Amino acid sequence: MFTGIVEEKGTIKSIQKQDCFAVLTIQAKEVLTDARIGDSIAVNGVCLTVTDKTNDSFMADVMAETLRRSSLGSLKAGSKVNLERAMAANGRFGGHIVSGHIDGTGTIVQMKPEGNATWVQIRTPDSILKYIVQKGSVAIDGISLTVAKVTKDSFFVSLIPHTGQETTLLTKKAGEIVNLENDIVGKYVDRLLHFDTVPADQGTTSSITLDFLTQHGF
């Protein structure tokens, strides 16, 4: 589990693409201080497993499903990426619950400065947008951010200078793709409310509905 508080910006040293998967080598410093082979590190919000490491870099495999769901396949040598180690049991919970399992991608529409902050508008499909609510949480390229506004086809976040400096988001331009992970609580609630619509061969049906929850004080 992660929190969406980026620890450092790493650099892609190489990306070896095979038929349907890839192997990343990422230069880093902070996340390597206690990293071991088998540990999890979020790379632009994608949970990857450390398969090998040196004093200044680590390697990770990226399977086909991850390449389909995320923007990792578009990375090149020299690309900057947001890095975060899995949360330690005694760590501070500074962001929100982030699993590192990307739901899909969004496209940056525009960036607009306002005072000391920068507004970022991101367009994304309905399948992702339905879980995004005003003042709720969303992870963008692994960054825990608060949703400031939602429209019919996009949403807005606002970045303070510190977040802009410590992450890669403000280095991107309109038209570029970012990884998105919805708030996991919203996804579980939606699953429970619609469980009775799941085909019979995928599990038993449930009597839990919105009316049922209302009647019982939820």
Side-chain angles (χ1 to χ4, degrees), residues 124-133 150 182 186-187 190 194:
T124 191
D126 290 343
S127 58
I128 294 177
L129 197 63
K130 70 176 183 177
Y131 296 113
I132 296 179
V133 298
V150 182
N182 291 119
K187 291 187 287 186
D190 182 67
H194 297 93

Side-chain angles (χ1 to χ4, degrees), residues 32 36 61 104 141:
L32 293 177
R36 297 175 297 180
D61 293 327
D141 274 352

Side-chain angles (χ1 to χ4, degrees), residues 172-184:
K172 296 181 180 295
K173 300 177 181 177
E176 291 196 54
I177 303 299
V178 290
N179 296 321
L180 300 177
E181 182 186 332
N182 291 119
D183 183 1
I184 194 169

Side-chain angles (χ1 to χ4, degrees), residues 15-29:
I15 176 167
Q16 302 171 13
K17 294 183 179 179
Q18 306 297 327
D19 291 337
C20 61
F21 68 95
V23 179
L24 298 180
T25 300
I26 302 169
Q27 186 174 8
K29 181 178 180 181

Side-chain angles (χ1 to χ4, degrees), residues 7-136:
E7 296 186 85
E8 68 172 315
K9 290 183 285 188
T11 304
I12 299 296
K13 292 182 67 175
S14 68
I15 176 167
Q16 302 171 13
K17 294 183 179 179
Q18 306 297 327
D19 291 337
C20 61
F21 68 95
V23 179
L24 298 180
T25 300
I26 302 169
Q27 186 174 8
K29 181 178 180 181
E30 182 66 27
V31 299
L32 293 177
T33 55
D34 59 356
R36 297 175 297 180
I37 294 176
D39 283 355
S40 296
I41 295 178
V43 179
N44 275 0
V46 182
C47 178
L48 297 179
T49 300
V50 177
T51 58
D52 199 1
K53 64 183 289 288
T54 66
N55 290 333
D56 67 349
S57 64
F58 69 95
M59 296 178 66
D61 293 327
V62 184
M63 60 183 178
E65 170 67 2
T66 303
L67 292 176
R68 284 191 293 267
R69 290 268 186 173
S70 74
S71 65
L72 293 189
S74 65
L75 294 174
K76 304 174 183 177
S79 295
K80 296 293 183 180
V81 290
N82 299 318
L83 301 177
E84 180 192 356
R85 287 169 289 187
M87 181 182 176
N90 63 347
R92 291 184 180 276
F93 210 140
H96 72 282
I97 298 174
V98 178
S99 68
H101 303 153
I102 299 302
D103 291 301
T105 60
T107 303
I108 294 176
V109 177
Q110 63 174 338
M111 294 187 181
K112 183 179 180 181
E114 182 184 45
N116 68 339
T118 302
W119 284 84
V120 181
Q121 181 184 4
I122 297 174
R123 182 181 295 113
T124 191
D126 290 343
S127 58
I128 294 177
L129 197 63
K130 70 176 183 177
Y131 296 113
I132 296 179
V133 298
Q134 187 171 332
K135 300 307 178 184

